[in-house]
Amino acid sequence: MSWFAHHGPFSSYDPTGPETLTSVTLAFDGTRFDGGLTGHSFLEAVAAARLLHPWQLPAVDDVLTRLSSA
């Protein structure tokens, strides 16, 4: 399982920098997942874009336009 924390000025009471992603390594103990702080790492912009690209959804307005013309 992959977990990514998306943070930046839009989601924090303490905007300390630009928008970024943190990769969180989750361990499974047979009952639950656990993500200790030792498994966290900040992702550079290129690495984050590469990981998120397959999950990009079309803009809502584009989808609504296509649905209304179908």
Side-chain angles (χ1 to χ4, degrees):
M1 174 183 282
S2 297
W3 185 284
F4 299 100
H6 184 207
H7 46 93
F10 59 87
S11 65
S12 174
Y13 63 89
D14 183 20
T16 57
E19 179 177 357
T20 189
L21 282 175
T22 301
S23 173
V24 180
T25 301
L26 298 174
F28 186 66
D29 66 7
T31 304
R32 64 185 180 90
F33 286 96
D34 180 49
L37 291 176
T38 58
H40 291 198
S41 62
F42 288 107
L43 298 174
E44 298 292 330
V46 172
R50 186 175 50 247
L51 287 169
L52 292 177
H53 180 72
W55 299 100
Q56 295 297 313
L57 298 173
V60 171
D61 289 340
D62 294 342
V63 172
L64 292 175
T65 298
R66 281 188 281 159
L67 287 172
S68 67
S69 65

